[in-house]
Amino acid sequence: MAASALNLGSCIAGIPVKVHYSYFLLLLIEVVYSLRYTQTSPPYPMLIVFVFVLYGPVLLLTIVVHEFGHALTTLKLGGTVEGIVLWPLGGFALCGPTEALSGDLKVALAGPLMHIPMGIIWWGIYVAVTGGAHGYWPGSTIYLDVISSGAAGFFEMLSSQAIYLNIILLCFNLFIPAYPLDGGRIYAASLMLVLKLKGQTAAKVTAITAMLISSGMILYAVLIMLSKSAGSELLLGFVGAYVLHQSYKLWTAAQSDTLGNHPIFGRECYKNTGENNDASGDGGDVETTPVPAQTDNAVLA
């Protein structure tokens, strides 16, 4: 990974942050997609700058903050963090295990919840730029003439889109129970903590749920791309394919009773039933068997 990634440094808690070179594929797709607006009458060349800023530094910072939510919570609960890597489908934190299942649930929740303060900050920028002239809540539509009207219009559109970006990523990662997204890990831990399912049973239920959801994502992306020019729907299809692949691997491991080396379900707290896990989330007295580092995923909507 080191040879194919750009090192951004380790300024917070000594956690190294790297960007895989393939991460810039999404930026390239969106910029190319926006080029068609340079051929309209009138042309809107500022849209290219807008797309570059939104899918470049704004999205990059958003994902990094999300992943630091996972990483810093892991450290607080006694786990280890090897680093954060960004790639085309989002990002992931390479985290060692926390000892309690409730602690793992907190780690999974921490990333998506970071979108709440980020959204509030962007909302404050929107209100400061517009002065409430168009109301105190932005619409989701991108107005090309506003983007091209000057700095105020550019940042009005940028802040409004950044608000919706954070809302989408919050909902996508928090409420879609598809492993290995954050929602899938929240779902799996909740099945054990609330319904008291055994780890192997929770893995099967999680895998089946994720395969159904990911198949729907792929189908939706294909239908949309067949009906119009592909934009972000292409990314949705890739995300669906990734989730389908990972959830199928989880299903086969659960079916063959080989979850022992799985980065999530191979950990000691997932091998037990929910009622046997320390509910305090502070590590408790549970001994943890070393397994490969888990990945806390933030996938783009």
Side-chain angles (χ1 to χ4, degrees):
M1 178 66 73
S4 58
L6 178 66
N7 193 347
L8 298 184
S10 53
C11 59
I12 300 178
I15 301 172
V17 179
K18 297 180 180 181
V19 181
H20 194 272
Y21 291 126
S22 60
Y23 169 85
F24 300 102
L25 179 63
L26 171 65
L27 178 59
L28 178 62
I29 291 174
E30 295 294 342
V31 168
V32 170
Y33 186 65
S34 67
L35 288 176
R36 61 178 179 158
Y37 291 99
T38 63
Q39 307 300 319
T40 58
S41 182
Y44 295 101
M46 279 302 295
L47 179 63
I48 300 175
V49 180
F50 177 83
V51 168
F52 180 84
V53 173
L54 180 63
Y55 287 94
V58 171
L59 181 58
L60 183 71
L61 180 62
T62 301
I63 299 175
V64 168
V65 173
H66 175 117
E67 295 305 327
F68 266 109
H70 291 307
L72 295 178
T73 303
T74 298
L75 292 178
K76 184 177 180 180
L77 295 176
T80 59
V81 180
E82 297 179 13
I84 292 172
V85 180
L86 308 182
W87 65 310
L89 301 186
F92 54 88
L94 299 170
C95 300
T98 55
E99 295 181 340
L101 183 56
S102 55
D104 189 70
L105 178 60
K106 291 178 181 179
V107 171
L109 285 167
L113 293 181
M114 294 302 294
H115 293 292
I116 296 177
M118 284 192 285
I120 292 174
I121 291 172
W122 280 111
W123 176 78
I125 294 174
Y126 173 81
V127 172
V129 170
T130 64
H134 310 301
Y136 290 97
W137 186 256
S140 59
T141 304
I142 298 176
Y143 293 100
L144 301 179
D145 55 339
V146 176
I147 290 175
S148 304
S149 64
F154 184 91
F155 281 100
E156 176 186 342
M157 287 291 98
L158 183 66
S159 57
S160 66
Q161 291 305 303
I163 291 171
Y164 283 99
L165 173 67
N166 278 281
I167 292 174
I168 291 171
L169 291 178
L170 169 67
C171 296
F172 196 82
N173 282 283
L174 192 60
F175 299 119
I176 297 182
Y179 177 83
L181 307 186
D182 293 329
R185 292 185 53 222
I186 294 168
Y187 181 58
S190 298
L191 287 174
M192 296 181 66
L193 287 170
V194 178
L195 299 183
K196 310 301 182 185
L197 297 184
K198 293 183 178 180
Q200 187 174 20
T201 304
K204 291 180 179 179
V205 174
T206 300
I208 292 174
T209 304
M211 285 189 285
L212 291 173
I213 292 174
S214 58
S215 297
M217 292 166 61
I218 295 171
L219 178 61
Y220 173 79
V222 170
L223 292 176
I224 293 298
M225 286 189 291
L226 290 176
S227 64
K228 68 175 186 178
S229 298
S232 58
E233 292 80 14
L234 180 62
L235 179 66
L236 180 65
F238 284 136
V239 171
Y242 170 71
V243 171
L244 182 61
H245 174 66
Q246 293 296 322
S247 54
Y248 179 73
K249 288 173 60 178
L250 174 61
W251 168 258
T252 55
Q255 280 287 84
S256 59
D257 198 18
T258 57
L259 287 170
N261 291 323
H262 193 273
I264 299 297
F265 288 93
R267 292 158 50 190
E268 197 65 34
C269 60
Y270 277 88
K271 294 178 182 178
N272 302 320
T273 59
E275 61 188 355
N276 290 333
N277 283 280
D278 169 32
S280 67
D282 59 1
D285 299 317
V286 181
E287 297 266 337
T288 303
T289 302
V291 295
Q294 70 192 64
T295 59
D296 296 297
N297 294 273
V299 181
L300 309 181

